[in-house]
Each structure stands twice: as structure tokens, then as C-alpha cells.
Amino acid sequence: MMSVAHRCGTVVPNLQATKQYVKSLVLAGAKELVPAAAGGTRLAHTDIKVPDFSDYRRQDVTDPNKSSQDSDENRKAFSYLMTGATTVVGIYAAKTVVTQFISSMSASADVLALSKIEIKLNDIPEGKNMTFKWRGKPLFVRHRNEKEITAEMAVNLAELRDPQHDKDRVINPKWVIVLGVCTHLGCVPIANAGDFGGYYCPCHGSHYDASGRIRKGPAPLNLEVPYYEFQDDDTVIVG
């Protein structure tokens, strides 16, 4: 213990002398010595230059004696111009992306070609029915004679399960165009058969007339009439 006290007694005078007599610091560019700060505080980093950002500042705000509000309108105009230009470019880019996305979901040319079928009516004799394949389904095209037309026009709608007049199912009375799919369970009916001389589904006994209307059996609805239009008297396009 005595040894430690002796050592501390030796060091303390030296510490006090250091606090009282501090070497002066040399400032950058100074020709004279400047006394150190009181209390022994060292003035560090006095030789660092402050960065100059004048090259990055606008010319309107470089003058420290001039108010920046004087050039406020000019600077706002530039900001508005950049914002407007960016907005226009962004909207155009978004429009392009949306257009391409929607176009990618559209049907291609070959699919659109298969969605329509052109039928030459001269190949179908009067009183006969011809079957075509359209969109993977059978398509019935029937060339009715005058007797069939008169009989279907005279049907009492009150007797029908799915009331629909013959003139509402045909464009030209001579031609009946319907999908050959039974509305009961999707079977393919037989043409020119059944109790009403139109179509007959042997699966469960559904009878349709020459207009494709259900007259007897379990089918709830008439045969579906697809969209079609006549290019001329001898050509029809379905789809």
C-alpha cells in the first residue's frame, strides 16, 4: 500500500503541470502560435476545408445576399415541367402494358377462323337436313319445304313447353339452323325423325319439330339457334 501511495504522489504533480502548461497548437495558414484552449481542450480538425457545392446549386440561388423567393417562379416552372413530362411518359407506358396484356388474351387469327363456318346452301336439297361440325359441336342446317313451313307457322304456342314462334327462330323460313345438341343431357338427336318429323333424341325420347322446338320428352328447352347471317341467297355464315 505504501508503494502505491508513493507512486501516486509522484504522478500527481506531473498531471497538474500538464494542465497548467499546454503546448500551443499550430493553425493551418497561421504565422503565429496560438495558445491552447483553457482546460487542456485540443482544437482538432482545424485544417479541414468546408466542401463547396456551388457547382450543384442553381445560378438563381448562389448569391447569399439575394432572396431565393425572387426566383421561386422559375424554379417551380422547371419542377412542374419535369413532373408533367414524367407523368405523361408513365401514362403512355402503362397504356402500352395494358394494351399488350389485353391483346395477349384475345383469340388468335386461326382461332377466329375456326369460330365461323361458311355453308353453301345449294348443296342441301329441299326437305333434307345436313350436319356440319362447328366449334366442336354438330350443326344442323335444314332446308324446309312449303308444307313444313306452313305446319310450323300454325303451331299453337300454348302447346309448347318452351314457347317460341317459328318466325323468331329463323331468318329465312326455308332454312332452319340449330345446334344438334339435345337440351336434356347433351346427346345428338337424329334428323328427320320423331313424332313431329323434326329431330329425335333416342337416348331419352325427346321429340323436336321441324323448327327445333321441344314437343315431347324430358328435354326442357328448344334446340339452340346460333348467330348466323346470309351473305347471299346461297351462302350463310354461322358464328
Side-chain angles (χ1 to χ4, degrees):
M1 295 295 293
M2 293 298 293
S3 176
V4 174
H6 177 72
R7 292 177 182 177
C8 291
T10 306
V11 174
V12 169
N14 294 331
L15 293 176
Q16 293 177 349
T18 303
K19 290 181 180 180
Q20 295 175 359
Y21 304 99
V22 180
K23 294 182 178 180
S24 299
L25 299 177
V26 180
L27 297 178
K31 298 181 179 180
E32 298 180 356
L33 296 179
V34 180
T41 304
R42 180 182 178 186
L43 301 178
H45 307 297
T46 56
D47 59 341
I48 297 178
K49 293 183 179 180
V50 177
D52 185 8
F53 296 99
S54 299
D55 295 338
Y56 302 96
R57 301 176 65 185
R58 296 180 181 177
Q59 294 296 328
D60 297 336
V61 295
T62 54
D63 189 356
N65 299 321
K66 185 179 179 182
S67 176
S68 61
Q69 294 181 353
D70 297 339
S71 60
D72 188 22
E73 295 299 328
N74 294 334
R75 289 184 284 113
K76 282 184 177 180
F78 177 77
S79 299
Y80 292 155
L81 177 63
M82 292 301 297
T83 303
T86 304
T87 303
V88 171
V89 173
I91 293 175
Y92 180 79
K95 171 183 172 295
T96 303
V97 172
V98 172
T99 302
Q100 291 180 351
F101 177 74
I102 294 176
S103 299
S104 66
M105 296 188 296
S106 301
S108 58
D110 56 341
V111 174
L112 291 176
L114 294 175
S115 66
K116 294 184 178 182
I117 182 174
E118 181 177 320
I119 300 173
K120 297 296 183 181
L121 301 177
N122 290 333
D123 299 334
I124 306 175
E126 187 178 41
K128 298 297 181 179
N129 181 91
M130 187 170 290
T131 304
F132 300 88
K133 184 178 181 180
W134 177 67
R135 296 183 181 179
K137 298 178 182 180
L139 179 70
F140 292 160
V141 180
R142 186 186 188 94
H143 189 179
R144 298 191 300 186
N145 53 38
E146 291 297 332
K147 180 180 178 180
E148 291 176 328
I149 296 174
T150 303
E152 300 307 328
M153 293 285 290
V155 172
N156 184 7
L157 297 183
E159 300 176 356
L160 300 177
R161 181 178 304 168
D162 184 12
Q164 194 173 18
H165 200 279
D166 181 70
K167 65 181 181 181
D168 296 329
R169 294 179 56 82
V170 297
I171 297 177
N172 184 340
K174 293 183 178 181
W175 300 99
V176 172
I177 302 176
V178 294
L179 292 182
V181 179
C182 180
T183 58
H184 180 220
L185 292 177
C187 303
V188 179
I190 300 173
N192 298 322
D195 295 345
F196 299 88
Y199 305 94
Y200 170 66
C201 182
C203 299
H204 300 92
S206 294
H207 297 257
Y208 301 87
D209 60 19
S211 185
R213 297 173 294 191
I214 181 63
R215 303 295 296 274
K216 181 181 178 181
L221 301 172
N222 302 329
L223 294 179
E224 181 182 352
V225 179
Y227 174 80
Y228 64 92
E229 58 184 6
F230 289 93
Q231 274 195 332
D232 49 52
D233 294 339
D234 300 326
T235 306
V236 63
I237 296 180
V238 182

